[in-house]
Amino acid sequence: MNAFDSCKLYRFDTGRQIFETVIYQNGYVHWLSLPSIDISGRSLNGNDRDIYRSLRSVFPKLKFTSAEQVHSNKVSNANSQSEFEKKKKCDGLVTADFDKALIIRTADCIPVFIFNQQQVGLLHAGHKGIQANILEKWNLYSLDQPSYLVVGDHIKSCCFKVHRDVEMKFSNLPYANNDSIVKINDSQWCVSLVKILYNQWHRLERTPEHFFDFSNCTCCNKNLYSYRRSGESLKERTGHVIFRTRVD
């Protein structure tokens, strides 16, 4: 079973920058993660609305909803007909509308793309959101439909090293285990956020074969934005988008 039916490289022009990105497709669902640079090597900031407007050269009916992203587990329904809507005090979005593009932005947290036959969802899953089980909140909106989950680029256990205070918050979770938290020394632990996310998916009695992780480590890969690698000075973010097109 595959996460996507096809993928294609597209070129988009914002009027100020030209960039290329791969768009994945499963049926009538499409999703993408923006690159960190344009074709000239200049930074591409996922906060720039013109970047998203440029997607209309291929998908002309798109309207956009983003999450405020406050490191919570709140998920909101996106149903506004405005060009751009920003949902306050949430880190997850769902919609059953066609041509409603959901947006979140990351620089180490996990972008979580989720979809089924009736809706799409997009989660900003940082370590606080995963501790609070944002995936379980999404599940309340899922309409009990068989769903697919795709993990995007994020900081992996090789680089996500935490001290005792954070380790204790994870180790006390019912869906954490020894495989997801590894001790380095008496003061540091490596945490695999994606393994904890997978355990949460499993505890929701979701199909394991519908959980896909092709991600790279944002901290290791210098072509990706990383808050931790930058020394906490980063202002740019990677934009992630998911939407459904109407069946003709």
Side-chain angles (χ1 to χ4, degrees):
M1 188 171 296
N2 298 319
F4 53 89
D5 302 326
S6 65
C7 61
K8 182 179 178 181
L9 181 67
Y10 289 87
R11 177 171 287 196
F12 296 101
D13 188 347
T14 71
R16 291 176 287 106
Q17 290 183 280
I18 299 173
F19 67 95
E20 295 181 331
T21 188
V22 173
I23 298 182
Y24 298 88
Q25 181 175 353
N26 184 312
Y28 294 93
V29 175
H30 310 263
W31 70 94
L32 63 107
S33 293
L34 296 171
S36 60
I37 58 174
D38 64 15
I39 63 171
S40 299
R42 294 181 297 165
S43 293
L44 193 74
N45 190 345
N47 296 312
D48 183 354
R49 286 186 172 184
D50 286 338
I51 290 174
Y52 304 102
R53 289 188 178 102
S54 73
L55 301 179
R56 290 178 177 155
S57 63
V58 178
F59 305 99
K61 297 180 180 180
L62 289 184
K63 295 181 180 179
F64 306 93
T65 299
S66 62
E68 184 180 9
Q69 299 184 201
V70 292
H71 293 280
S72 69
N73 66 350
K74 183 179 178 182
V75 177
S76 295
N77 187 40
N79 52 18
S80 170
Q81 294 305 307
S82 61
E83 181 191 20
F84 280 94
E85 175 192 22
K86 187 174 184 178
K87 285 289 186 178
K88 300 293 186 180
K89 297 181 180 179
C90 72
D91 286 80
L93 299 166
V94 296
T95 187
D97 292 350
F98 294 103
D99 300 308
K100 170 66 70 175
L102 308 180
I103 299 171
I104 61 108
R105 303 169 180 91
T106 66
D108 275 332
C109 297
I110 304 180
V112 182
F113 304 90
I114 317 180
F115 54 91
N116 55 45
Q117 290 185 350
Q118 295 189 29
Q119 66 177 203
V120 295
L122 188 54
L123 309 180
H124 167 250
H127 76 269
K128 292 181 180 179
I130 288 179
Q131 287 170 18
N133 204 343
I134 189 173
L135 190 60
E136 185 175 52
K137 297 296 184 180
W138 159 83
N139 194 53
L140 299 175
Y141 289 88
S142 69
L143 308 175
D144 293 325
Q145 289 285 314
S147 301
Y148 293 80
L149 184 153
V150 179
V151 173
D153 295 334
H154 64 281
I155 189 168
K156 289 182 170 287
S157 59
C158 53
C159 295
F160 189 41
K161 299 174 182 178
V162 302
H163 296 293
R164 182 62 175 170
D165 57 335
V166 177
E167 183 273 335
M168 288 182 64
K169 293 178 181 178
F170 281 108
S171 61
N172 290 330
L173 299 177
Y175 30 79
N177 54 37
N178 292 336
D179 190 36
S180 57
I181 305 172
V182 178
K183 186 175 183 178
I184 304 172
N185 52 47
D186 289 340
S187 62
Q188 277 193 319
W189 288 258
C190 287
V191 176
S192 173
L193 295 176
V194 73
K195 288 182 178 179
I196 296 175
L197 187 70
Y198 175 83
N199 292 340
Q200 292 172 332
W201 180 257
H202 180 71
R203 287 175 68 90
L204 291 173
E205 299 183 350
R206 294 288 177 174
T207 306
E209 292 79 13
H210 288 182
F211 187 103
F212 298 93
D213 178 16
F214 313 116
S215 61
N216 298 296
C217 178
T218 49
C219 193
C220 287
N221 191 329
K222 294 184 179 179
N223 292 321
L224 301 171
Y225 289 129
S226 172
Y227 187 69
R228 179 162 293 211
R229 187 185 67 241
S230 71
E232 303 184 352
S233 62
L234 188 69
K235 293 183 179 179
E236 293 89 353
R237 297 290 185 269
T238 298
H240 310 274
V241 184
I242 190 170
F243 56 92
R244 282 198 308 161
T245 53
R246 189 177 296 277
V247 180
D248 295 324

